[in-house]
Amino acid sequence: MDQSIVVTGAVVRVLDTKSTGANDFKSRALHLKTEGQYPQTLEIQFNQGNITLLNDLNTGQKVNVTVNLKGREYEKEGNPLVFNSLVAWKIEKLA
């Protein structure tokens, strides 16, 4: 089951669209700086049809981004590794 959360912050940058694989899978990333006592810069992925949600964003603009937390595990040289990602499906511009 996916876990959805809303992340609030300011746009640092929007990266170019990447296309991979035989099925031409498209993804685009947003770098977002959170607010609060200990701000964090997060990379948030937008995939396929959701990449267009990033078209009209400006650096410094405040937004709410709804993301699903994704994780996957695999083994490398007998050691288990886990990778996490934030995959967005909604973005709301704030005033």
Side-chain angles (χ1 to χ4, degrees):
M1 175 183 216
D2 293 332
Q3 299 293 317
S4 293
I5 62 171
V6 176
V7 181
T8 302
V11 173
V12 175
R13 70 188 61 84
V14 176
L15 280 65
D16 291 335
T17 301
K18 293 181 182 179
S19 183
T20 57
N23 293 330
D24 197 33
F25 183 83
K26 291 181 177 26
S27 67
R28 196 171 178 191
L30 166 69
H31 290 174
L32 187 75
K33 188 165 190 171
T34 64
E35 300 173 334
Q37 184 176 358
Y38 303 105
Q40 303 292 311
T41 300
L42 305 173
E43 181 169 288
I44 301 173
Q45 293 299 127
F46 288 74
N47 297 325
Q48 296 295 81
N50 291 331
I51 64 174
T52 59
L53 297 174
L54 299 173
N55 286 349
D56 297 323
L57 294 181
N58 297 308
T59 300
Q61 188 171 23
K62 294 195 182 223
V63 294
N64 282 337
V65 182
T66 305
V67 301
N68 290 339
L69 303 175
K70 302 279 189 173
R72 56 199 169 281
E73 180 179 13
Y74 82 98
E75 277 194 28
K76 183 176 181 181
E77 299 173 2
N79 296 314
L81 299 171
V82 175
F83 290 91
N84 299 309
S85 59
L86 302 172
V87 180
W89 52 272
K90 180 180 176 184
I91 191 162
E92 174 188 5
K93 297 175 186 177
L94 302 176

